[in-house]
Amino acid sequence: MNKVNVLGVNFDNKTLNQFQNEFIGRLNEHKSTFIVTANPEIVMSANENPEFMKILTSDADYITADGIGVVKAAKMLKTPLPERVTGYDLFTWLMKVANERNLRVYLIGAKPAVIHAVQEKIARDYPEIQLVGAEDGYFKDDLDLVALRIERTQPDLVFAALGSPRQEKLLAILRKNLLPAVMMGVGGSFDVFSGVVKRAPKFYQEAHLEWFYRLVKNPWRFKRMLVLPKFVNDVRKSRKEQK
Ligand code: UDP
């Protein structure tokens, strides 16, 4: 089975390694490529927002399981996915590829101080990257205008860290215009990459309590986490409907 359907979202049934090989192939061929890394929150949000669901169904070229919740759901539905493939891991890997190949990269998203720190990090650690654009995610322009601005720089790679579904809306415009780049929404990745937001200490990571650490640090995340029990419940319901 090529695709695994979890509550209407078609995930690609591929390992990290398989994804990487395909992305390299498409980079070589300059094929317009739109990658979505979807976690349970994104699946739930698409179920409530038809416009977002349509982007995932019609515009995205690849959808990876960004989160153990999606991997577990696929298993419950008896159509397992091989592994979790996170946006952050793909992002850091693609940046490494960009540095090795001297590629043109456009970054958009996060707070001004964060994107500034990201620029500094790239100059220091990824000196071969041609950074053709780096702008924060708090612009007022409409997305069509932003898309035009990005297209003019002829990037090989575009990363948007605007939160969902806004980042996917922007990338869907570029994909429809057939921008010959590999494009991916990366959520909070710039915050972590810049070092402005720290990952949880090892203890929390090893105890699978990273979510708890983040919750204590950012109590506003509580409301977002409330969709998780509903996600599990809806997957259970959809399993019953399968029978
Ligand atoms: N963000 C932005 N513009 C906005 C709202 C958010 O650039 O108008 C950025 C925010 O600074 C953060 C990223 O979008 O860097 C999304 O972060 P979040 O933690 O919500 O991402 P997720 O958990 O969905 O991956």
Side-chain angles (χ1 to χ4, degrees), residues 2-40:
N2 288 336
K3 306 271 179 188
V4 168
N5 187 303
V6 176
L7 302 178
V9 176
N10 275 321
F11 287 86
D12 286 279
N13 193 0
K14 292 183 167 70
T15 61
L16 171 64
N17 208 268
Q18 289 169 324
F19 278 117
Q20 289 174 327
N21 287 335
E22 294 206 18
F23 299 162
I24 290 286
R26 291 180 73 115
L27 261 177
N28 289 341
E29 289 166 28
H30 299 282
K31 258 197 186 159
S32 191
T33 302
F34 173 22
I35 306 161
V36 176
T37 65
N39 58 17

Side-chain angles (χ1 to χ4, degrees), residues 29-30 54 59-60 68 71-72 76 80 90 102 133 141 145-146 167 176 188 199 206 213 229:
E29 289 166 28
H30 299 282
K54 188 154 182 300
D59 301 319
I68 206 66
V71 174
K72 284 195 174 153
M76 273 172 73
L90 285 177
N102 200 222
D141 304 337
L145 191 69
V146 177
Q167 62 193 26
K176 283 200 187 100
R199 274 199 84 178
E206 278 161 13
Y213 176 83

Side-chain angles (χ1 to χ4, degrees), residues 201-216:
K202 274 257 149 22
F203 164 77
Y204 290 90
Q205 290 185 35
E206 278 161 13
H208 298 288
L209 285 173
E210 207 169 347
W211 63 271
F212 177 70
Y213 176 83
R214 263 190 243 133
L215 181 61
V216 173

Side-chain angles (χ1 to χ4, degrees), residues 109-111 137-138 161-163 166 187-188 191 221 224:
K111 300 207 171 103
Y138 293 83
L162 307 166
R166 196 155 157 255
D191 300 287
R221 278 186 173 265
R224 286 173 35 165

Side-chain angles (χ1 to χ4, degrees), residues 11 15 19 22-23 57 66 77 87 121 124 144 148 190 201 212 214 217 220 234:
F11 287 86
T15 61
F19 278 117
E22 294 206 18
F23 299 162
T57 320
D66 189 351
L77 294 167
K121 178 168 167 129
R124 195 176 60 234
D144 287 302
L148 205 64
F190 294 175
F212 177 70
R214 263 190 243 133
K217 289 257 162 183
W220 53 266
D234 286 0

Side-chain angles (χ1 to χ4, degrees), residues 104-109 132-136 139 141-162 167 169-175 177 179-183:
R104 302 168 67 83
V105 176
Y106 200 110
L107 304 177
I108 179 165
V132 294
E135 54 172 310
D136 68 74
F139 49 81
D141 304 337
D142 71 42
L143 294 180
D144 287 302
L145 191 69
V146 177
L148 205 64
R149 191 151 75 219
I150 297 174
E151 280 164 357
R152 286 209 184 108
T153 67
Q154 302 183 319
D156 300 302
L157 287 159
V158 180
F159 298 105
L162 307 166
Q167 62 193 26
K169 280 188 192 165
L170 173 63
L171 299 179
I173 297 172
L174 294 167
R175 179 65 182 85
N177 293 349
L179 178 73
V182 170
M183 306 173 261

